[in-house]
Amino acid sequence: MREIKFRAWDKALKSWTNYSIDDDLLMFYDKHAECWETDQEGERFILCQYTGLKDNEDREIYEGDIVKAISFARWIGVVKYSDENQAFIFDDLDKKYRGKSTVFMNQFDDGFEILGNIYENPELLKEIANDN
């Protein structure tokens, strides 16, 4: 069974933060105010789920990570959860590889390399788009 866990991005402070679930309330730690806050998920804080996969350097892969497929040198994409497929998918930035088909994260036997994530490294998306 895969481990189910999350990490939380604080949009206001632009950093990862601690979180807790207590009585069905999400509690997030505000490092600036040094206190716990409740928040509607998505307003200030974004939860990113662990995929159950690790990259080639044994780092955990989460939703929002920008990854490169090891077996395809230029195939780079963003990890997303697909409600339609109920699975984590590889949303490649250069659509010529997959066309309109869905690519599941578990389809890559050779694994991935994490390049960054869409929150800390949004400039990577622009750089990759310009290279394609």
Side-chain angles (χ1 to χ4, degrees), residues 1 4 10-11 24 30 37-38 46-47 50 60 62 74 100 112 117:
M1 174 178 254
I4 298 175
D10 184 333
K11 293 192 279 188
D24 296 327
D30 183 333
E37 297 182 12
T38 58
I46 300 170
L47 283 179
Y50 173 48
E60 295 173 341
Y62 284 84
R74 294 187 48 80
K100 295 181 182 184
F112 299 95
N117 63 68

Side-chain angles (χ1 to χ4, degrees), residues 42-129:
E43 288 181 16
R44 175 173 170 184
F45 300 95
I46 300 170
L47 283 179
C48 300
Q49 188 173 1
Y50 173 48
T51 64
L53 302 171
K54 294 185 178 183
D55 78 348
N56 60 337
E57 294 182 20
D58 208 36
R59 295 177 292 183
E60 295 173 341
I61 300 174
Y62 284 84
E63 289 178 278
D65 281 342
I66 301 168
V67 297
K68 178 174 80 170
I70 298 298
S71 53
F72 300 92
R74 294 187 48 80
W75 205 359
I76 298 172
V78 177
V79 178
K80 295 184 177 180
Y81 184 79
S82 167
D83 288 324
E84 178 183 339
N85 297 297
Q86 298 179 352
F88 291 100
I89 62 170
F90 178 83
D91 186 19
D92 64 293
L93 301 173
D94 185 356
K95 304 298 184 210
K96 71 181 176 188
Y97 282 108
R98 72 171 171 98
K100 295 181 182 184
S101 63
T102 300
V103 179
F104 297 94
M105 293 292 292
N106 62 0
Q107 289 179 270
F108 293 86
D109 293 334
D110 294 334
F112 299 95
E113 175 187 349
I114 297 173
L115 303 176
N117 63 68
I118 61 174
Y119 306 106
E120 291 177 292
N121 316 103
E123 73 282 355
L124 277 177
L125 296 175
K126 293 176 187 169
E127 289 174 24
I128 295 164

Side-chain angles (χ1 to χ4, degrees), residues 28-47:
F28 299 93
Y29 189 72
D30 183 333
K31 294 175 186 175
H32 183 70
E34 296 184 352
C35 66
W36 288 88
E37 297 182 12
T38 58
D39 182 62
Q40 292 289 84
E41 196 270 321
E43 288 181 16
R44 175 173 170 184
F45 300 95
I46 300 170
L47 283 179

